[in-house]
PDB file of all heavy atoms in Angstrom:
ATOM      1  N   LEU A  42      21.884  -2.403 -10.665  1.00 82.00           N
ATOM      2  CA  LEU A  42      23.161  -1.667 -10.937  1.00 82.00           C
ATOM      3  C   LEU A  42      24.376  -2.508 -10.558  1.00 82.00           C
ATOM      4  O   LEU A  42      25.487  -2.125 -10.888  1.00 82.00           O
ATOM      5  CB  LEU A  42      23.144  -0.346 -10.188  1.00 82.00           C
ATOM      6  CG  LEU A  42      22.153   0.687 -10.668  1.00 82.00           C
ATOM      7  CD1 LEU A  42      22.113   1.886  -9.730  1.00 82.00           C
ATOM      8  CD2 LEU A  42      22.504   1.153 -12.088  1.00 82.00           C
ATOM      9  N   GLY A  43      24.149  -3.599  -9.824  1.00 85.00           N
ATOM     10  CA  GLY A  43      25.245  -4.450  -9.414  1.00 85.00           C
ATOM     11  C   GLY A  43      26.061  -3.851  -8.262  1.00 85.00           C
ATOM     12  O   GLY A  43      27.143  -4.328  -7.968  1.00 85.00           O
ATOM     13  N   GLU A  44      25.497  -2.862  -7.602  1.00 81.00           N
ATOM     14  CA  GLU A  44      26.210  -2.171  -6.528  1.00 81.00           C
ATOM     15  C   GLU A  44      25.748  -2.609  -5.128  1.00 81.00           C
ATOM     16  O   GLU A  44      26.310  -2.165  -4.158  1.00 81.00           O
ATOM     17  CB  GLU A  44      26.000  -0.674  -6.686  1.00 81.00           C
ATOM     18  CG  GLU A  44      26.529  -0.094  -7.983  1.00 81.00           C
ATOM     19  CD  GLU A  44      28.041  -0.085  -8.072  1.00 81.00           C
ATOM     20  OE1 GLU A  44      28.706  -0.131  -7.021  1.00 81.00           O
ATOM     21  OE2 GLU A  44      28.549  -0.030  -9.178  1.00 81.00           O
ATOM     22  N   ALA A  45      24.718  -3.435  -5.081  1.00 85.00           N
ATOM     23  CA  ALA A  45      24.203  -3.869  -3.802  1.00 85.00           C
ATOM     24  C   ALA A  45      23.551  -5.219  -3.957  1.00 85.00           C
ATOM     25  O   ALA A  45      23.236  -5.641  -5.106  1.00 85.00           O
ATOM     26  CB  ALA A  45      23.185  -2.854  -3.269  1.00 85.00           C
ATOM     27  N   LYS A  46      23.315  -5.893  -2.868  1.00 85.00           N
ATOM     28  CA  LYS A  46      22.631  -7.181  -2.898  1.00 85.00           C
ATOM     29  C   LYS A  46      21.358  -7.062  -2.078  1.00 85.00           C
ATOM     30  O   LYS A  46      21.351  -6.421  -1.022  1.00 85.00           O
ATOM     31  CB  LYS A  46      23.508  -8.296  -2.313  1.00 85.00           C
ATOM     32  CG  LYS A  46      24.695  -8.592  -3.209  1.00 85.00           C
ATOM     33  CD  LYS A  46      25.454  -9.782  -2.692  1.00 85.00           C
ATOM     34  CE  LYS A  46      26.604 -10.053  -3.618  1.00 85.00           C
ATOM     35  NZ  LYS A  46      27.385 -11.193  -3.236  1.00 85.00           N
ATOM     36  N   ARG A  47      20.327  -7.666  -2.580  1.00 83.00           N
ATOM     37  CA  ARG A  47      19.045  -7.682  -1.844  1.00 83.00           C
ATOM     38  C   ARG A  47      19.173  -8.692  -0.705  1.00 83.00           C
ATOM     39  O   ARG A  47      19.424  -9.868  -0.937  1.00 83.00           O
ATOM     40  CB  ARG A  47      17.904  -8.075  -2.788  1.00 83.00           C
ATOM     41  CG  ARG A  47      16.558  -8.030  -2.192  1.00 83.00           C
ATOM     42  CD  ARG A  47      15.479  -8.611  -3.090  1.00 83.00           C
ATOM     43  NE  ARG A  47      15.571  -8.185  -4.455  1.00 83.00           N
ATOM     44  CZ  ARG A  47      14.962  -7.123  -4.974  1.00 83.00           C
ATOM     45  NH1 ARG A  47      14.157  -6.421  -4.220  1.00 83.00           N
ATOM     46  NH2 ARG A  47      15.064  -6.826  -6.246  1.00 83.00           N
ATOM     47  N   ALA A  48      18.986  -8.219   0.492  1.00 84.00           N
ATOM     48  CA  ALA A  48      19.077  -9.125   1.660  1.00 84.00           C
ATOM     49  C   ALA A  48      17.773  -9.880   1.839  1.00 84.00           C
ATOM     50  O   ALA A  48      17.746 -11.081   2.116  1.00 84.00           O
ATOM     51  CB  ALA A  48      19.397  -8.319   2.940  1.00 84.00           C
ATOM     52  N   VAL A  49      16.658  -9.176   1.658  1.00 83.00           N
ATOM     53  CA  VAL A  49      15.337  -9.765   1.874  1.00 83.00           C
ATOM     54  C   VAL A  49      14.341  -9.107   0.940  1.00 83.00           C
ATOM     55  O   VAL A  49      14.412  -7.883   0.720  1.00 83.00           O
ATOM     56  CB  VAL A  49      14.849  -9.537   3.324  1.00 83.00           C
ATOM     57  CG1 VAL A  49      13.474 -10.125   3.544  1.00 83.00           C
ATOM     58  CG2 VAL A  49      15.827 -10.093   4.327  1.00 83.00           C
ATOM     59  N   THR A  50      13.448  -9.879   0.366  1.00 79.00           N
ATOM     60  CA  THR A  50      12.340  -9.320  -0.373  1.00 79.00           C
ATOM     61  C   THR A  50      11.117  -9.287   0.546  1.00 79.00           C
ATOM     62  O   THR A  50      10.802 -10.295   1.166  1.00 79.00           O
ATOM     63  CB  THR A  50      12.037 -10.165  -1.633  1.00 79.00           C
ATOM     64  OG1 THR A  50      13.170 -10.131  -2.495  1.00 79.00           O
ATOM     65  CG2 THR A  50      10.821  -9.631  -2.402  1.00 79.00           C
ATOM     66  N   ASN A  51      10.494  -8.145   0.647  1.00 80.00           N
ATOM     67  CA  ASN A  51       9.343  -7.936   1.493  1.00 80.00           C
ATOM     68  C   ASN A  51       9.619  -8.307   2.950  1.00 80.00           C
ATOM     69  O   ASN A  51       8.968  -9.173   3.549  1.00 80.00           O
ATOM     70  CB  ASN A  51       8.098  -8.679   0.960  1.00 80.00           C
ATOM     71  CG  ASN A  51       6.817  -8.104   1.500  1.00 80.00           C
ATOM     72  OD1 ASN A  51       6.813  -7.224   2.384  1.00 80.00           O
ATOM     73  ND2 ASN A  51       5.690  -8.584   1.016  1.00 80.00           N
ATOM     74  N   ALA A  52      10.640  -7.664   3.482  1.00 84.00           N
ATOM     75  CA  ALA A  52      11.069  -7.934   4.878  1.00 84.00           C
ATOM     76  C   ALA A  52       9.930  -7.734   5.885  1.00 84.00           C
ATOM     77  O   ALA A  52       9.876  -8.447   6.893  1.00 84.00           O
ATOM     78  CB  ALA A  52      12.240  -7.048   5.215  1.00 84.00           C
ATOM     79  N   CYS A  53       9.045  -6.798   5.610  1.00 87.00           N
ATOM     80  CA  CYS A  53       7.950  -6.542   6.564  1.00 87.00           C
ATOM     81  C   CYS A  53       7.032  -7.752   6.723  1.00 87.00           C
ATOM     82  O   CYS A  53       6.410  -7.910   7.766  1.00 87.00           O
ATOM     83  CB  CYS A  53       7.184  -5.319   6.146  1.00 87.00           C
ATOM     84  SG  CYS A  53       8.169  -3.811   6.220  1.00 87.00           S
ATOM     85  N   ALA A  54       6.937  -8.579   5.714  1.00 87.00           N
ATOM     86  CA  ALA A  54       6.107  -9.759   5.802  1.00 87.00           C
ATOM     87  C   ALA A  54       6.604 -10.705   6.875  1.00 87.00           C
ATOM     88  O   ALA A  54       5.824 -11.445   7.497  1.00 87.00           O
ATOM     89  CB  ALA A  54       6.009 -10.480   4.467  1.00 87.00           C
ATOM     90  N   SER A  55       7.912 -10.682   7.132  1.00 87.00           N
ATOM     91  CA  SER A  55       8.464 -11.620   8.118  1.00 87.00           C
ATOM     92  C   SER A  55       8.367 -11.071   9.551  1.00 87.00           C
ATOM     93  O   SER A  55       8.464 -11.895  10.481  1.00 87.00           O
ATOM     94  CB  SER A  55       9.907 -11.943   7.802  1.00 87.00           C
ATOM     95  OG  SER A  55      10.732 -10.787   7.871  1.00 87.00           O
ATOM     96  N   VAL A  56       8.189  -9.780   9.725  1.00 89.00           N
ATOM     97  CA  VAL A  56       8.161  -9.245  11.080  1.00 89.00           C
ATOM     98  C   VAL A  56       6.911  -8.465  11.451  1.00 89.00           C
ATOM     99  O   VAL A  56       6.705  -8.141  12.619  1.00 89.00           O
ATOM    100  CB  VAL A  56       9.394  -8.380  11.388  1.00 89.00           C
ATOM    101  CG1 VAL A  56      10.662  -9.170  11.324  1.00 89.00           C
ATOM    102  CG2 VAL A  56       9.461  -7.173  10.478  1.00 89.00           C
ATOM    103  N   ILE A  57       6.067  -8.142  10.471  1.00 91.00           N
ATOM    104  CA  ILE A  57       4.840  -7.394  10.791  1.00 91.00           C
ATOM    105  C   ILE A  57       3.595  -8.243  10.470  1.00 91.00           C
ATOM    106  O   ILE A  57       2.845  -8.580  11.362  1.00 91.00           O
ATOM    107  CB  ILE A  57       4.801  -6.048  10.038  1.00 91.00           C
ATOM    108  CG1 ILE A  57       5.939  -5.160  10.532  1.00 91.00           C
ATOM    109  CG2 ILE A  57       3.445  -5.364  10.248  1.00 91.00           C
ATOM    110  CD1 ILE A  57       6.078  -3.846   9.765  1.00 91.00           C
ATOM    111  N   ALA A  58       3.443  -8.607   9.212  1.00 91.00           N
ATOM    112  CA  ALA A  58       2.270  -9.386   8.815  1.00 91.00           C
ATOM    113  C   ALA A  58       2.521 -10.010   7.463  1.00 91.00           C
ATOM    114  O   ALA A  58       3.188  -9.403   6.629  1.00 91.00           O
ATOM    115  CB  ALA A  58       1.027  -8.527   8.774  1.00 91.00           C
ATOM    116  N   ASP A  59       2.030 -11.205   7.256  1.00 90.00           N
ATOM    117  CA  ASP A  59       2.117 -11.864   5.962  1.00 90.00           C
ATOM    118  C   ASP A  59       0.718 -12.323   5.608  1.00 90.00           C
ATOM    119  O   ASP A  59       0.158 -13.180   6.315  1.00 90.00           O
ATOM    120  CB  ASP A  59       3.097 -13.031   6.018  1.00 90.00           C
ATOM    121  CG  ASP A  59       3.400 -13.582   4.650  1.00 90.00           C
ATOM    122  OD1 ASP A  59       2.910 -13.045   3.657  1.00 90.00           O
ATOM    123  OD2 ASP A  59       4.135 -14.600   4.591  1.00 90.00           O
ATOM    124  N   PRO A  60       0.131 -11.785   4.592  1.00 90.00           N
ATOM    125  CA  PRO A  60       0.708 -10.906   3.580  1.00 90.00           C
ATOM    126  C   PRO A  60       0.961  -9.506   4.144  1.00 90.00           C
ATOM    127  O   PRO A  60       0.322  -9.074   5.083  1.00 90.00           O
ATOM    128  CB  PRO A  60      -0.327 -10.864   2.486  1.00 90.00           C
ATOM    129  CG  PRO A  60      -1.650 -11.080   3.187  1.00 90.00           C
ATOM    130  CD  PRO A  60      -1.314 -12.051   4.329  1.00 90.00           C
ATOM    131  N   PHE A  61       1.926  -8.793   3.537  1.00 88.00           N
ATOM    132  CA  PHE A  61       2.188  -7.402   3.846  1.00 88.00           C
ATOM    133  C   PHE A  61       2.031  -6.584   2.577  1.00 88.00           C
ATOM    134  O   PHE A  61       2.624  -6.885   1.577  1.00 88.00           O
ATOM    135  CB  PHE A  61       3.607  -7.225   4.391  1.00 88.00           C
ATOM    136  CG  PHE A  61       3.894  -5.807   4.740  1.00 88.00           C
ATOM    137  CD1 PHE A  61       3.505  -5.300   5.959  1.00 88.00           C
ATOM    138  CD2 PHE A  61       4.542  -4.949   3.854  1.00 88.00           C
ATOM    139  CE1 PHE A  61       3.745  -3.956   6.285  1.00 88.00           C
ATOM    140  CE2 PHE A  61       4.800  -3.640   4.149  1.00 88.00           C
ATOM    141  CZ  PHE A  61       4.399  -3.128   5.386  1.00 88.00           C
ATOM    142  N   TYR A  62       1.184  -5.560   2.685  1.00 83.00           N
ATOM    143  CA  TYR A  62       0.937  -4.688   1.544  1.00 83.00           C
ATOM    144  C   TYR A  62       1.650  -3.371   1.802  1.00 83.00           C
ATOM    145  O   TYR A  62       1.345  -2.689   2.785  1.00 83.00           O
ATOM    146  CB  TYR A  62      -0.568  -4.458   1.359  1.00 83.00           C
ATOM    147  CG  TYR A  62      -1.320  -5.764   1.225  1.00 83.00           C
ATOM    148  CD1 TYR A  62      -2.038  -6.298   2.297  1.00 83.00           C
ATOM    149  CD2 TYR A  62      -1.274  -6.503   0.060  1.00 83.00           C
ATOM    150  CE1 TYR A  62      -2.721  -7.484   2.198  1.00 83.00           C
ATOM    151  CE2 TYR A  62      -1.962  -7.704  -0.069  1.00 83.00           C
ATOM    152  CZ  TYR A  62      -2.673  -8.193   1.009  1.00 83.00           C
ATOM    153  OH  TYR A  62      -3.341  -9.368   0.901  1.00 83.00           O
ATOM    154  N   SER A  63       2.588  -2.999   0.939  1.00 74.00           N
ATOM    155  CA  SER A  63       3.338  -1.797   1.162  1.00 74.00           C
ATOM    156  C   SER A  63       2.684  -0.563   0.541  1.00 74.00           C
ATOM    157  O   SER A  63       3.256   0.508   0.529  1.00 74.00           O
ATOM    158  CB  SER A  63       4.741  -1.950   0.623  1.00 74.00           C
ATOM    159  OG  SER A  63       4.724  -2.275  -0.747  1.00 74.00           O
ATOM    160  N   GLY A  64       1.495  -0.719   0.060  1.00 77.00           N
ATOM    161  CA  GLY A  64       0.788   0.403  -0.508  1.00 77.00           C
ATOM    162  C   GLY A  64      -0.683   0.318  -0.221  1.00 77.00           C
ATOM    163  O   GLY A  64      -1.201  -0.742   0.188  1.00 77.00           O
ATOM    164  N   VAL A  65      -1.381   1.410  -0.439  1.00 82.00           N
ATOM    165  CA  VAL A  65      -2.789   1.452  -0.159  1.00 82.00           C
ATOM    166  C   VAL A  65      -3.422   2.537  -1.041  1.00 82.00           C
ATOM    167  O   VAL A  65      -2.740   3.527  -1.386  1.00 82.00           O
ATOM    168  CB  VAL A  65      -3.067   1.713   1.326  1.00 82.00           C
ATOM    169  CG1 VAL A  65      -2.574   3.066   1.767  1.00 82.00           C
ATOM    170  CG2 VAL A  65      -4.530   1.556   1.681  1.00 82.00           C
ATOM    171  N   SER A  66      -4.641   2.368  -1.417  1.00 87.00           N
ATOM    172  CA  SER A  66      -5.374   3.417  -2.135  1.00 87.00           C
ATOM    173  C   SER A  66      -6.269   4.104  -1.121  1.00 87.00           C
ATOM    174  O   SER A  66      -6.904   3.454  -0.272  1.00 87.00           O
ATOM    175  CB  SER A  66      -6.229   2.804  -3.224  1.00 87.00           C
ATOM    176  OG  SER A  66      -5.434   2.151  -4.159  1.00 87.00           O
ATOM    177  N   VAL A  67      -6.280   5.424  -1.164  1.00 89.00           N
ATOM    178  CA  VAL A  67      -7.027   6.193  -0.165  1.00 89.00           C
ATOM    179  C   VAL A  67      -8.029   7.106  -0.852  1.00 89.00           C
ATOM    180  O   VAL A  67      -7.707   7.817  -1.812  1.00 89.00           O
ATOM    181  CB  VAL A  67      -6.072   7.049   0.701  1.00 89.00           C
ATOM    182  CG1 VAL A  67      -6.832   7.882   1.698  1.00 89.00           C
ATOM    183  CG2 VAL A  67      -5.048   6.160   1.400  1.00 89.00           C
ATOM    184  N   LEU A  68      -9.232   7.079  -0.361  1.00 92.00           N
ATOM    185  CA  LEU A  68     -10.297   8.004  -0.776  1.00 92.00           C
ATOM    186  C   LEU A  68     -10.781   8.724   0.487  1.00 92.00           C
ATOM    187  O   LEU A  68     -10.967   8.085   1.505  1.00 92.00           O
ATOM    188  CB  LEU A  68     -11.483   7.277  -1.407  1.00 92.00           C
ATOM    189  CG  LEU A  68     -11.214   6.396  -2.636  1.00 92.00           C
ATOM    190  CD1 LEU A  68     -12.443   5.590  -2.993  1.00 92.00           C
ATOM    191  CD2 LEU A  68     -10.764   7.237  -3.796  1.00 92.00           C
ATOM    192  N   THR A  69     -10.982  10.016   0.410  1.00 93.00           N
ATOM    193  CA  THR A  69     -11.482  10.727   1.586  1.00 93.00           C
ATOM    194  C   THR A  69     -12.931  10.364   1.852  1.00 93.00           C
ATOM    195  O   THR A  69     -13.705  10.061   0.950  1.00 93.00           O
ATOM    196  CB  THR A  69     -11.347  12.264   1.446  1.00 93.00           C
ATOM    197  OG1 THR A  69     -12.222  12.706   0.407  1.00 93.00           O
ATOM    198  CG2 THR A  69      -9.904  12.693   1.154  1.00 93.00           C
ATOM    199  N   THR A  70     -13.298  10.453   3.122  1.00 91.00           N
ATOM    200  CA  THR A  70     -14.691  10.218   3.515  1.00 91.00           C
ATOM    201  C   THR A  70     -15.593  11.221   2.788  1.00 91.00           C
ATOM    202  O   THR A  70     -16.689  10.850   2.311  1.00 91.00           O
ATOM    203  CB  THR A  70     -14.838  10.353   5.032  1.00 91.00           C
ATOM    204  OG1 THR A  70     -13.951   9.430   5.646  1.00 91.00           O
ATOM    205  CG2 THR A  70     -16.271  10.065   5.488  1.00 91.00           C
ATOM    206  N   LYS A  71     -15.168  12.481   2.669  1.00 94.00           N
ATOM    207  CA  LYS A  71     -15.920  13.480   2.003  1.00 94.00           C
ATOM    208  C   LYS A  71     -16.205  13.094   0.544  1.00 94.00           C
ATOM    209  O   LYS A  71     -17.317  13.203   0.062  1.00 94.00           O
ATOM    210  CB  LYS A  71     -15.183  14.820   2.062  1.00 94.00           C
ATOM    211  CG  LYS A  71     -15.921  15.964   1.356  1.00 94.00           C
ATOM    212  CD  LYS A  71     -15.120  17.250   1.422  1.00 94.00           C
ATOM    213  CE  LYS A  71     -15.881  18.310   0.630  1.00 94.00           C
ATOM    214  NZ  LYS A  71     -15.118  19.538   0.496  1.00 94.00           N
ATOM    215  N   PHE A  72     -15.151  12.621  -0.150  1.00 94.00           N
ATOM    216  CA  PHE A  72     -15.294  12.218  -1.542  1.00 94.00           C
ATOM    217  C   PHE A  72     -16.263  11.037  -1.669  1.00 94.00           C
ATOM    218  O   PHE A  72     -17.159  11.044  -2.530  1.00 94.00           O
ATOM    219  CB  PHE A  72     -13.915  11.850  -2.095  1.00 94.00           C
ATOM    220  CG  PHE A  72     -13.951  11.460  -3.554  1.00 94.00           C
ATOM    221  CD1 PHE A  72     -14.134  12.389  -4.551  1.00 94.00           C
ATOM    222  CD2 PHE A  72     -13.804  10.115  -3.920  1.00 94.00           C
ATOM    223  CE1 PHE A  72     -14.158  12.017  -5.895  1.00 94.00           C
ATOM    224  CE2 PHE A  72     -13.841   9.729  -5.259  1.00 94.00           C
ATOM    225  CZ  PHE A  72     -14.015  10.686  -6.250  1.00 94.00           C
ATOM    226  N   VAL A  73     -16.108  10.032  -0.832  1.00 92.00           N
ATOM    227  CA  VAL A  73     -16.986   8.863  -0.877  1.00 92.00           C
ATOM    228  C   VAL A  73     -18.407   9.247  -0.613  1.00 92.00           C
ATOM    229  O   VAL A  73     -19.341   8.757  -1.247  1.00 92.00           O
ATOM    230  CB  VAL A  73     -16.481   7.790   0.125  1.00 92.00           C
ATOM    231  CG1 VAL A  73     -17.500   6.681   0.304  1.00 92.00           C
ATOM    232  CG2 VAL A  73     -15.152   7.220  -0.300  1.00 92.00           C
ATOM    233  N   THR A  74     -18.639  10.148   0.326  1.00 91.00           N
ATOM    234  CA  THR A  74     -19.974  10.597   0.685  1.00 91.00           C
ATOM    235  C   THR A  74     -20.603  11.457  -0.413  1.00 91.00           C
ATOM    236  O   THR A  74     -21.779  11.254  -0.756  1.00 91.00           O
ATOM    237  CB  THR A  74     -19.942  11.377   1.995  1.00 91.00           C
ATOM    238  OG1 THR A  74     -19.364  10.570   3.014  1.00 91.00           O
ATOM    239  CG2 THR A  74     -21.339  11.844   2.431  1.00 91.00           C
ATOM    240  N   GLU A  75     -19.829  12.398  -0.944  1.00 94.00           N
ATOM    241  CA  GLU A  75     -20.380  13.338  -1.912  1.00 94.00           C
ATOM    242  C   GLU A  75     -20.428  12.791  -3.355  1.00 94.00           C
ATOM    243  O   GLU A  75     -21.246  13.222  -4.137  1.00 94.00           O
ATOM    244  CB  GLU A  75     -19.572  14.619  -1.891  1.00 94.00           C
ATOM    245  CG  GLU A  75     -19.733  15.408  -0.600  1.00 94.00           C
ATOM    246  CD  GLU A  75     -18.907  16.694  -0.557  1.00 94.00           C
ATOM    247  OE1 GLU A  75     -18.175  16.981  -1.550  1.00 94.00           O
ATOM    248  OE2 GLU A  75     -18.978  17.368   0.468  1.00 94.00           O
ATOM    249  N   ARG A  76     -19.558  11.847  -3.648  1.00 94.00           N
ATOM    250  CA  ARG A  76     -19.497  11.321  -5.053  1.00 94.00           C
ATOM    251  C   ARG A  76     -19.340   9.813  -5.060  1.00 94.00           C
ATOM    252  O   ARG A  76     -18.406   9.264  -5.590  1.00 94.00           O
ATOM    253  CB  ARG A  76     -18.300  11.999  -5.739  1.00 94.00           C
ATOM    254  CG  ARG A  76     -18.436  13.508  -5.739  1.00 94.00           C
ATOM    255  CD  ARG A  76     -17.375  14.230  -6.478  1.00 94.00           C
ATOM    256  NE  ARG A  76     -17.519  13.971  -7.911  1.00 94.00           N
ATOM    257  CZ  ARG A  76     -16.552  14.127  -8.779  1.00 94.00           C
ATOM    258  NH1 ARG A  76     -15.382  14.561  -8.402  1.00 94.00           N
ATOM    259  NH2 ARG A  76     -16.745  13.893 -10.057  1.00 94.00           N
ATOM    260  N   PRO A  77     -20.294   9.119  -4.476  1.00 93.00           N
ATOM    261  CA  PRO A  77     -20.168   7.661  -4.357  1.00 93.00           C
ATOM    262  C   PRO A  77     -20.051   6.928  -5.706  1.00 93.00           C
ATOM    263  O   PRO A  77     -19.361   5.932  -5.814  1.00 93.00           O
ATOM    264  CB  PRO A  77     -21.416   7.235  -3.595  1.00 93.00           C
ATOM    265  CG  PRO A  77     -22.394   8.352  -3.761  1.00 93.00           C
ATOM    266  CD  PRO A  77     -21.557   9.599  -3.907  1.00 93.00           C
ATOM    267  N   ALA A  78     -20.739   7.414  -6.731  1.00 93.00           N
ATOM    268  CA  ALA A  78     -20.652   6.741  -8.032  1.00 93.00           C
ATOM    269  C   ALA A  78     -19.235   6.865  -8.631  1.00 93.00           C
ATOM    270  O   ALA A  78     -18.728   5.878  -9.184  1.00 93.00           O
ATOM    271  CB  ALA A  78     -21.700   7.361  -8.999  1.00 93.00           C
ATOM    272  N   VAL A  79     -18.617   8.000  -8.486  1.00 95.00           N
ATOM    273  CA  VAL A  79     -17.261   8.187  -8.984  1.00 95.00           C
ATOM    274  C   VAL A  79     -16.315   7.355  -8.124  1.00 95.00           C
ATOM    275  O   VAL A  79     -15.385   6.694  -8.649  1.00 95.00           O
ATOM    276  CB  VAL A  79     -16.869   9.681  -8.994  1.00 95.00           C
ATOM    277  CG1 VAL A  79     -15.400   9.836  -9.427  1.00 95.00           C
ATOM    278  CG2 VAL A  79     -17.777  10.479  -9.895  1.00 95.00           C
ATOM    279  N   ALA A  80     -16.505   7.357  -6.833  1.00 94.00           N
ATOM    280  CA  ALA A  80     -15.646   6.543  -5.927  1.00 94.00           C
ATOM    281  C   ALA A  80     -15.736   5.067  -6.317  1.00 94.00           C
ATOM    282  O   ALA A  80     -14.728   4.385  -6.362  1.00 94.00           O
ATOM    283  CB  ALA A  80     -16.086   6.772  -4.471  1.00 94.00           C
TER     284      ALA A  80
END
């Protein structure tokens, strides 16, 4: 939009961990146990 400037891309990689993954896929233990083929 031209209204701001990016100071840092993936700032967490510089202070938490590199690589840093800002997302995750989650399956419940119940689902994995009851429907392993679908999981």
Side-chain angles (χ1 to χ4, degrees):
L42 292 171
E44 300 289 339
K46 292 186 179 182
R47 184 188 316 267
V49 179
T50 298
N51 201 353
C53 294
S55 64
V56 297
I57 295 175
D59 190 4
F61 180 82
Y62 306 102
S63 58
V65 64
S66 298
V67 178
L68 302 172
T69 66
T70 303
K71 179 181 177 187
F72 182 74
V73 169
T74 302
E75 293 178 0
R76 302 184 69 199
V79 177

